[in-house]
Amino acid sequence: MQFWKYSTKVLATLLAVVSVSQAGGPADGDAVADPNSAVVKLTSDNFASFLEENPLVLTEFFAPWCGYCKMLGPEFSKAADSLNESHPKIKLAQVDCTQDEELCMEFGIRGYPTLKIIRDGDSKQAEDYQGPREASGIAEHMIKQSLPAVQIPETWEDLEKLIEEQTKPFVLQVNSATDDIFQKVANVKRKDFSFINVGKDFIKQLGTKLNKDLKKASYLVVHPKQLADAIGFDGKKADVESLTKWIDVETLPYFGEMDRDTYMSYMTSPLPLAYYFYKTAEQREAVADDLAKLGKQYRGKINIVGLDANLYGRHAEAINMDPEVVPLFAIQLIEDNKKYGINQKEYPEGPSVKVIEKFVKDYFDGKLKPIVKSEELPTAEEIAANPVVKLVGHNYNDILNNSEKDIFVKYYAPWCGHCKKLAPTWEELAEIFGSNKGETGVIIADIDHTANDVDVPFEIQGYPTLLLFPANGEIDEKTGLRKPVVFEGQRELDSLIDFVKENGALKVDGTELQAKLKEAREAAEEAAGDAKDEVEEAAEKVEHDEL
Ligand SMILES: *[C@@H]1O[C@H](CO)[C@@H](O)[C@H](O)[C@H]1NC(C)=O
Ligand SMILES: *[C@@H]1O[C@H](CO)[C@@H](O)[C@H](O)[C@H]1NC(C)=O
């Protein structure tokens, strides 16, 4: 659960950056396709009949005023013209939703533009178009859609040519039996990859082209121009799910690019993710081949991606790196949210490939320490002056793992109003338990959760969150910390005191301590009062003396 939450959060930051930069970009095209182009204008009158007559139609539902539609319009026209020449059976069409509201409502259109692929007039089975949005990409995507999901070349020459033509990783079926699993996976993933059935007669011939003996494999993933290094998958173990998963991992490029389109496949992969942030195409180019080699060497263990810091710089902050010092290289394991980065002070111009290679090796040898985002440790004076124990990234595990004490932690954010309101009460609570003097076995602590990157064995959904870690409590396996009890009552002094007594392992009664504190304070006040009287008397005397 946490993983998904995390990844959608990252996606949100990625998308936010992208949409802002696009909204700021040019959108001076016309949303309505060029009337001289091959784009067909559809209305409720001709819609059904047109679709019935055409086996494959990409339909754009749009509004003339929408910015993204204006960007798409000219590209859509160009794609339609190019298809009209090369693949005249594939049609591109437009529905203006400001003119044909009803039609758009029927399709449940909620945003513009929405693109749908409709086959053989079967509107019910319309698929959302998720391909590129520039002319050649659109055309290419639609050509792929027009092919059968699994291609079956008739001759060895056709097969060789088909393999040679591929510009993206693709999947070969090399067991001779017709295979339902392959067909099913191909139907779903046809938009991403080519699926090719290697006929029975060609399997031997194909085998001679491979570096390894892959006789046991039923399926191969091949990267473009790298047939010899095909990767095999044992068909005996295959079902739709396992084959899909395997394809998802093996088809990722050795050094890929993380952007809106590829984001999800990287984030859902269970492997650690290594990022190379760059600011210019030259920077990326300079390392691309070497990082691809590295990616190949570590295939199945780590994914390595490039990330354009101009668009996604903010993501560097999320992995505790400085987005201004680029190129940078960092590794993140999504699962446990640990981050490792090459020291940016040491390599202000970016690390060399050699340094990166060593870093990745050290990562797998367990030699790296994760980067912990942390405020400065409090000084001795600060500790003495503040009854609330201040937790930061660097002392968090040490203090929280002090298993002889009941530790009550307030996780807060500096901007949160409820946190500010609670602050004096929290301080009073700490005062009552003599929290910073270590007398009562109860520690009252707090941590700015936005400035310190720490594990919490609980899913924090808002601030403040108050968690009590009972002394000698049971250990949470994932974080290695004790399992906390959540405070969910009214955030008032009495209820907080009761909560510590009821849920702490030491059962310390704060009410008694509170009474003692009150007495002590009164005594102190009296003493202070006496002292003041004396001072005043002395002052009077001085005044008199002066007279
Ligand atoms: C589509 O192609 C056909 C055949 O080449 C041509 O006659 C027609 O003018 C083209 N349509 C458009 C709109 O370009
Ligand atoms: C906390 O202490 C327990 C028991 O001594 C240990 O197993 C665990 O690794 C420690 N966790 C951390 C985060 O230091």
Side-chain angles (χ1 to χ4, degrees):
M1 281 322 274
Q2 280 216 312
F3 156 68
W4 276 106
K5 221 174 142 194
Y6 174 76
S7 57
T8 35
K9 219 160 63 187
V10 179
L11 179 62
T13 61
L14 283 177
L15 292 185
V17 179
V18 169
S19 43
V20 168
S21 62
Q22 286 190 346
D28 13 313
D30 196 340
V32 183
D34 180 351
N36 295 320
S37 77
V39 175
V40 181
K41 182 179 158 68
L42 294 182
T43 64
S44 11
D45 294 335
N46 63 355
F47 190 83
S49 59
F50 180 80
L51 286 175
E52 262 159 43
E53 284 157 19
N54 291 283
L56 182 61
V57 182
L58 174 62
T59 305
E60 181 200 352
F61 297 87
F62 77 105
W65 45 259
C66 118
Y68 289 115
C69 306
K70 288 181 188 169
M71 282 165 69
L72 181 59
E75 300 292 324
F76 205 64
S77 303
K78 256 190 256 169
D81 286 345
S82 123
L83 285 171
N84 182 45
E85 249 177 52
S86 66
H87 295 76
K89 282 202 171 145
I90 305 174
K91 300 291 182 196
L92 265 51
Q94 274 190 325
V95 175
D96 182 341
C97 290
T98 59
Q99 290 180 9
D100 251 301
E101 270 177 58
E102 242 171 73
L103 192 52
C104 295
M105 262 163 59
E106 241 172 75
F107 275 85
I109 305 300
R110 287 159 179 272
Y112 306 123
T114 296
L115 292 104
K116 297 208 179 259
I117 296 170
I118 303 169
R119 292 172 197 278
D120 302 318
D122 189 354
S123 301
K124 285 211 185 72
Q125 300 294 330
E127 295 164 41
D128 283 327
Y129 171 89
Q130 288 169 329
R133 297 203 170 183
E134 43 62 50
S136 64
I138 296 171
E140 213 172 281
H141 187 94
M142 289 311 293
I143 291 167
K144 196 166 271 179
Q145 291 291 324
S146 72
L147 303 171
V150 177
Q151 303 177 61
I152 310 176
E154 282 178 13
T155 66
W156 170 249
E157 285 70 32
D158 288 349
L159 176 62
E160 271 192 312
K161 184 159 166 274
L162 192 56
I163 288 175
E164 191 56 31
E165 275 172 7
Q166 301 300 317
T167 55
K168 292 208 294 186
F170 57 99
V171 193
L172 297 178
Q173 179 188 22
V174 288
N175 55 351
S176 51
T178 44
D179 186 335
D180 213 25
I181 296 173
F182 194 67
Q183 189 67 46
K184 274 191 184 142
V185 175
N187 279 340
V188 175
K189 293 212 152 271
R190 60 181 301 154
K191 63 179 191 297
D192 304 319
F193 310 112
S194 296
F195 289 80
I196 302 167
N197 180 304
V198 175
K200 208 172 172 179
D201 302 340
F202 314 135
I203 289 178
K204 254 209 174 133
Q205 222 162 339
L206 186 79
T208 64
K209 304 263 175 191
L210 305 177
N211 277 340
K212 276 182 290 183
D213 178 11
L214 290 170
K215 276 206 190 82
K216 283 216 181 101
S218 299
Y219 312 104
L220 305 179
V221 158
V222 182
H223 286 255
K225 321 276 180 224
Q226 301 194 33
L227 177 61
D229 291 323
I231 308 142
F233 187 66
D234 185 346
K236 277 195 226 100
K237 296 178 201 137
D239 53 29
V240 170
E241 197 187 336
S242 62
L243 184 60
T244 306
K245 243 189 199 157
W246 175 78
I247 291 173
D248 281 343
V249 170
E250 296 297 349
T251 49
L252 288 172
Y254 295 125
F255 176 51
E257 185 70 10
M258 186 152 163
D259 54 28
R260 288 215 301 183
D261 295 336
T262 58
Y263 169 83
M264 260 303 160
S265 33
Y266 286 115
M267 277 298 169
T268 50
S269 160
L271 303 181
L273 188 55
Y275 304 94
Y276 183 82
F277 282 76
Y278 60 90
K279 275 217 165 123
T280 66
E282 290 76 31
Q283 289 171 345
R284 189 186 195 285
E285 201 59 29
V287 295
D289 286 349
D290 288 318
L291 290 192
K293 261 186 223 145
L294 193 65
K296 193 167 170 186
Q297 184 189 339
Y298 285 96
R299 169 58 89 197
K301 291 189 186 145
I302 192 167
N303 291 317
I304 306 181
V305 295
L307 203 64
D308 184 345
N310 301 304
L311 293 175
Y312 309 118
R314 274 178 57 196
H315 188 56
E317 283 171 27
I319 54 173
N320 301 347
M321 300 294 280
D322 181 350
E324 295 307 319
V325 185
V326 168
L328 68 84
F329 189 87
I331 297 176
Q332 176 183 25
L333 185 55
I334 314 279
E335 229 172 38
D336 67 4
N337 201 13
K338 288 216 167 39
K339 298 130 189 174
Y340 308 82
I342 294 181
N343 191 321
Q344 292 176 284
K345 291 210 179 81
E346 218 172 304
Y347 300 101
E349 307 290 320
S352 68
V353 169
K354 273 231 156 60
V355 171
I356 293 175
E357 283 169 355
K358 174 155 188 333
F359 187 76
V360 173
K361 183 171 184 310
D362 285 350
Y363 173 79
F364 283 106
D365 291 346
K367 284 189 191 158
L368 300 183
K369 279 218 172 73
I371 338 163
V372 176
K373 186 161 93 176
S374 176
E375 293 174 283
E376 300 277 328
L377 283 169
T379 62
E381 290 84 54
E382 281 165 343
I383 292 174
N386 190 356
V388 177
V389 171
K390 183 177 168 70
L391 300 179
V392 299
H394 294 314
N395 67 8
Y396 180 84
N397 279 352
D398 290 345
I399 294 181
L400 262 201
N401 230 5
N402 186 342
S403 60
E404 324 241 289
K405 308 210 178 202
D406 287 331
I407 307 181
F408 201 8
V409 184
K410 177 180 85 173
Y411 295 83
Y412 72 92
W415 40 258
C416 133
H418 288 295
C419 304
K420 282 186 196 134
K421 216 174 125 208
L422 176 62
T425 311
W426 200 249
E427 202 163 305
E428 180 66 6
L429 189 69
E431 195 94 54
I432 289 170
F433 285 106
S435 165
N436 59 339
K437 303 192 186 81
E439 285 158 0
T440 61
V442 177
I443 293 181
I444 305 297
D446 67 7
I447 181 163
D448 178 349
H449 198 212
T450 65
N452 300 283
D453 194 6
V454 296
D455 286 331
V456 186
F458 176 78
E459 198 173 329
I460 290 192
Q461 308 216 330
Y463 299 115
T465 290
L466 308 178
L467 301 180
L468 176 65
F469 298 83
N472 301 309
E474 196 187 333
I475 299 286
D476 169 68
E477 255 179 46
K478 209 171 150 212
T479 58
L481 298 165
R482 281 173 276 158
K483 289 186 180 162
V485 191
V486 195
F487 178 84
E488 286 172 319
Q490 288 286 330
R491 295 188 205 108
E492 275 153 20
L493 195 55
D494 292 348
S495 10
L496 291 165
I497 290 175
D498 290 347
F499 183 78
V500 171
K501 186 174 168 200
E502 272 163 36
N503 297 284
L506 307 177
K507 306 290 168 210
V508 177
D509 188 349
T511 358
E512 279 170 24
L513 295 169
Q514 191 180 20
K516 269 192 209 157
L517 179 65
K518 197 172 161 215
E519 266 170 40
R521 275 183 184 157
E522 278 167 3
E525 236 167 68
E526 228 165 77
D530 289 350
K532 199 175 151 211
D533 287 349
E534 272 169 32
V535 171
E536 273 169 13
E537 265 170 40
E540 256 169 49
K541 261 190 204 152
V542 172
E543 276 166 25
H544 284 295
D545 286 350
E546 273 181 355
L547 271 176

